Amino acid sequence: MSGFDTVIRNGLVIDGTGTEGSIADVGITDGRITEIGKIASRGNREIDAEGHAVTPGFVDGHTHMDAQVNWDPIGRNSCWHGVTSVVMGNCGFSVAPVRKGQEAHVVRNLERAEDISPDAMAAGMEWKWEGFDQYLDVVDTLPKGINYSAYIGHSALRTWAMGERAFEEEATDDDLKAMKGELNRALDAGAIGLSTSRARAHETSDDRPVASRLASRDEVAALVKEMKGRKGAAFELAQEMHQAGTPEYDDFQNWLSNLAIESQVMTTFGVLAPTWKRQTDMMEKVTAAGGRMAGQTHSRGITSLTSFRSAMGFDPLPVWAELRSKPLDAQLASLQDPKVREALVASVKEGNYPRTIGAEPPTPDWDKFFVYDKPLPPWRTVGEIAAERGLHPADIIIDLAIESKLDVIFMQPLTHASEDDIVAMMRHPNNAMTFSDSGAHVSQISDSSIQSYLIAHYYRQQQRLTLPECVEMITSRPARFWGFADRGVLREGNVADINIFDPETFGPKMPTVVHDLPKGARRLSQKSEGMMATIVAGETLIENGEHTGALPGKLIRRLDA
């Protein structure tokens, strides 16, 4: 064949199916892959990929970029790590539907539970929609670097139907009828499904449950069953939080299993330690009974990042609050005052820490409180360093802050699993490695890098996984779970969403705190190294770590819409 727009030559083509790669060329025409093999014809553009892996673009099934897509055309930080398609609107949190004048209800669901700045949302979104179908139409017209699909979020659906009552009570029959109608309109327009949260970690800024948590199980089930027969529709949830092995835990698992089997709707949720084995057992039983379940795993374990340039777990303590109210240069000077230092350390020792939720900086556990001084492990704990120096851990934190001019970052796991468990979770065929939360917790975690971390750590550093295994976990598997039939595999006829990277250097860089959100709100920015190019629909979006100016992304509407 001749007339290629682009030919990628001499790369190690790893197609995303888990099979071994081979040296080949990839020809692209009109945004799609038109030939794989030894290509004699020249392309209008030639890319020499010798020494590099050529893979499908990565697919991220768990993001919260619903607001961000309005002001960020390239999809930071996901775009820096090879992600070319995302699913947003997870955990019941979407920015539509919304009634005019009631936008604050949507913001209330998001601002604390997902750490999304209300000022940034106010400044960065024009709220040109009411119904979810109108929101999708807006996203469709926005300039985009990567591809987006979206759930309609249960919390937004409730506040649209019920107003303030959504935060106070269960739905009436009329409320549920209205929600079903809007859900069907959203599905008709291409929503990928419905998401909800049952998790007590999700609260509003005024310490109330987010709206979806007020829903009864019957309400949730009625909405999920409304999707029965809809091709490709999915139900995503942040699960109820019960102690594993208790009657309450078993009752919840039975309810969820029966709902998945009865509704025939693909059901997906986070699969994390310590309950992952029980969860995978449940998924296997549901699959055997004719239902569909997909787990979302994590390559590192969800980890809270804290720093003087963002937030510290000590900030609510009165002495620390006084320090942290000052400009950063004044904080740095105060840390070097012996009397201030003494008071700060004493406050940490005696502190009465408030309750935290989600990814908010937790009460420090010194044996799990790591100094995040390089992108990949091993990392040292503050407790270890304190024992070596004969000091209190708070002294170490202050010393490191002074030495780094406040740039030091600390990390504390919010979920913890052994590397053996993480590998087993990621390998399980019912799971995809896709739990970045990109677009949310923007100053609390930096998990848009989980795909690059997967390859850098488990393939290159630990050699626990092969490169084809890693690629399959983040390409064809999530694409299959979420119904992206023409993405996730390098195959003739598929959309040319492609990554070209050096397997021996690809990995995350260190995150930094920046203030580039609307109204100057802060976030953690994290890039990668070793990525030659990320191509979306045949156009190069990222080249050698920089945006090319191209914006080839699309809205992915569900197949039967």
Side-chain angles (χ1 to χ4, degrees):
M1 182 175 180
S2 61
F4 297 103
D5 296 328
T6 302
V7 177
I8 304 167
R9 296 197 182 275
N10 306 313
L12 177 64
V13 175
I14 299 174
D15 67 6
T17 64
T19 58
E20 290 299 315
S22 60
I23 303 299
D25 307 329
V26 179
I28 301 168
T29 308
D30 295 331
R32 290 189 177 266
I33 299 168
T34 45
E35 189 171 345
I36 301 174
K38 186 62 177 175
I39 297 176
S41 301
R42 303 290 294 175
N44 294 332
R45 185 187 182 202
E46 297 270 322
I47 299 175
D48 183 3
E50 186 174 359
H52 291 70
V54 179
T55 75
F58 305 152
V59 178
D60 191 343
H62 193 116
T63 79
H64 294 274
M65 300 172 83
D66 314 65
Q68 179 182 327
V69 69
N70 287 271
W71 62 73
D72 173 15
I74 65 172
R76 301 172 181 89
N77 291 314
S78 297
C79 66
W80 306 125
H81 300 272
V83 172
T84 56
S85 299
V86 303
V87 182
M88 56 186 181
N90 283 269
C91 305
F93 301 123
S94 59
V95 295
V98 60
R99 298 194 187 276
K100 291 300 181 186
Q102 295 187 7
E103 293 85 357
H105 290 325
V106 170
V107 172
R108 191 189 307 170
N109 282 316
L110 291 169
E111 60 180 320
R112 185 182 184 196
E114 297 299 331
D115 182 38
I116 300 176
S117 163
D119 290 340
M121 284 190 277
M125 293 194 297
E126 296 183 39
W127 299 94
K128 293 181 177 180
W129 56 83
E130 290 191 55
F132 197 83
D133 56 343
Q134 295 170 324
Y135 170 72
L136 289 180
D137 288 343
V138 169
V139 174
D140 208 0
T141 62
L142 289 171
K144 298 175 291 297
I146 62 176
N147 308 304
Y148 295 86
S149 62
Y151 293 109
I152 180 171
H154 190 188
S155 281
L157 186 59
R158 286 190 113 240
T159 55
W160 171 84
M162 301 172 63
E164 187 66 26
R165 291 187 299 112
F167 297 98
E168 299 167 353
E169 60 190 51
E170 293 185 9
T172 66
D173 289 344
D174 286 343
D175 295 330
L176 184 56
K177 181 179 179 181
M179 283 189 268
K180 286 181 177 179
E182 178 62 13
L183 171 59
N184 278 298
R185 285 187 290 274
L187 294 168
D188 288 342
I192 203 162
L194 171 76
S195 69
T196 194
S197 174
R198 312 284 299 167
R200 59 178 176 267
H202 289 147
E203 292 185 3
T204 66
S205 55
D206 55 355
D207 298 323
R208 294 193 291 175
V210 296
S212 67
R213 287 180 54 201
L214 274 293
S216 66
R217 286 183 183 174
D218 287 344
E219 177 184 326
V220 175
L223 291 171
V224 173
K225 290 174 185 177
E226 196 71 15
M227 297 191 289
K228 187 171 184 177
R230 292 277 195 165
K231 184 178 180 181
F235 170 50
E236 187 274 341
L237 75 160
Q239 299 177 85
E240 293 180 18
M241 301 166 75
H242 303 292
Q243 183 68 37
T246 63
E248 293 80 8
Y249 181 90
D250 294 340
D251 181 61
F252 171 71
Q253 279 208 327
N254 289 335
W255 171 78
L256 187 61
S257 298
N258 291 334
L259 178 58
I261 295 166
E262 184 176 348
S263 70
Q264 292 292 293
V265 173
M266 195 279 279
T267 300
T268 180
F269 42 80
V271 172
L272 301 166
T275 59
W276 73 269
K277 289 183 179 178
R278 292 175 182 269
Q279 291 175 298
T280 52
D281 286 347
M282 174 180 66
M283 290 191 290
E284 290 170 1
K285 290 176 182 176
V286 167
T287 301
R292 290 185 64 216
M293 279 187 167
Q296 305 163 29
T297 62
H298 200 289
S299 62
R300 184 170 48 225
I302 301 171
T303 302
S304 173
L305 301 185
T306 61
S307 78
F308 282 81
R309 296 188 181 276
S310 54
M312 297 288 287
F314 323 113
D315 290 352
L317 305 178
V319 176
W320 281 81
E322 181 181 354
L323 171 79
R324 302 285 281 137
S325 67
K326 300 176 182 180
L328 287 172
D329 57 351
Q331 291 184 46
L332 181 58
S334 294
L335 290 174
Q336 298 172 75
D337 182 325
K339 290 184 178 179
V340 172
R341 180 190 186 110
E342 182 179 358
L344 292 170
V345 173
S347 177
V348 171
K349 291 178 179 178
E350 303 161 4
N352 182 19
Y353 294 91
R355 184 180 68 92
T356 60
I357 66 163
E360 293 174 345
T363 300
D365 178 343
W366 302 120
D367 292 329
K368 296 178 182 176
F369 199 84
F370 295 89
V371 181
Y372 188 27
D373 55 357
K374 57 183 186 294
L376 301 175
W379 300 290
R380 304 192 71 204
T381 70
V382 170
E384 290 171 336
I385 299 170
E388 288 176 3
R389 298 186 186 180
L391 296 171
H392 189 272
D395 282 302
I396 302 303
I397 286 170
I398 293 171
D399 284 342
L400 294 173
I402 293 169
E403 291 169 13
S404 68
K405 293 183 170 52
L406 303 186
D407 285 340
V408 65
I409 299 175
F410 302 97
M411 61 192 301
Q412 184 167 327
L414 300 174
T415 64
H416 181 73
S418 69
E419 293 206 331
D420 287 342
D421 279 350
I422 289 174
V423 169
M425 281 187 270
M426 293 191 299
R427 272 187 166 144
H428 194 282
N430 284 93
N431 292 334
M433 204 299 291
T434 175
F435 205 122
S436 76
D437 263 343
S438 292
H441 307 297
V442 293
S443 67
Q444 298 172 336
I445 66 175
S446 189
D447 286 350
S448 298
S449 60
I450 58 174
Q451 288 86 6
S452 59
Y453 181 90
L454 168 70
I455 290 169
H457 183 59
Y458 286 100
Y459 162 67
R460 190 167 65 248
Q461 239 187 3
Q462 294 291 317
Q463 299 180 14
R464 287 173 173 260
L465 297 170
T466 67
L467 189 55
E469 279 184 298
C470 291
V471 170
E472 189 264 344
M473 291 172 181
I474 53 181
T475 58
S476 67
R477 203 182 297 181
R480 184 173 72 254
F481 289 168
W482 279 277
F484 302 156
D486 57 357
R487 289 174 168 83
V489 177
L490 296 184
R491 178 185 297 136
E492 292 178 7
N494 275 5
V495 176
D497 292 347
I498 297 172
N499 285 321
I500 307 170
F501 60 86
D502 180 354
E504 300 311 311
T505 61
F506 180 51
K509 292 184 178 180
M510 282 295 294
T512 59
V513 178
V514 299
H515 291 262
D516 63 357
L517 296 180
K519 288 289 186 180
R522 71 190 178 209
R523 70 177 181 93
L524 287 158
S525 175
Q526 188 172 25
K527 290 190 171 185
S528 69
E529 59 185 348
M531 177 68 73
M532 176 191 286
T534 293
I535 296 170
V536 177
E539 295 187 52
T540 301
L541 173 69
I542 305 296
E543 189 167 26
N544 296 320
E546 298 297 331
H547 178 219
T548 64
L551 294 170
K554 305 291 184 184
L555 171 69
I556 304 175
R557 297 182 191 259
R558 210 186 68 265
L559 289 177
D560 76 341

